[in-house]
Amino acid sequence: MNRKEKRINREIINPGKTEKLQKDWQGYGKAYAYYGLVVLGIAAVSAIYYIFLK
């Protein structure tokens, strides 16, 4: 790899920025999972209400 390719790779793949993005995506995954659980809970409660209490 020549100097120009190294410079381009170093500019494109910034380790500090990559690390921050990984942390952001981990947080996004947790938030998405919690959102899914909340939606599932609401659907379950509404199904129970519709079946048993109506």
Side-chain angles (χ1 to χ4, degrees):
M1 195 182 301
N2 62 23
R3 283 178 47 169
K4 184 178 180 182
E5 290 174 344
K6 285 182 183 179
R7 183 175 51 85
I8 290 172
N9 283 341
R10 189 173 55 238
E11 289 175 3
I12 293 173
I13 303 172
N14 184 350
K17 190 173 184 180
T18 304
E19 199 171 298
K20 286 181 183 179
L21 287 173
Q22 287 176 351
K23 287 181 182 178
D24 286 347
W25 277 106
Q26 287 174 353
Y28 176 76
K30 288 179 187 177
Y32 193 70
Y34 290 141
Y35 177 75
L37 289 174
V38 168
V39 170
L40 183 64
I42 291 171
V45 169
S46 65
I48 290 170
Y49 175 77
Y50 182 75
I51 293 171
F52 294 112
L53 300 176
K54 188 170 182 186

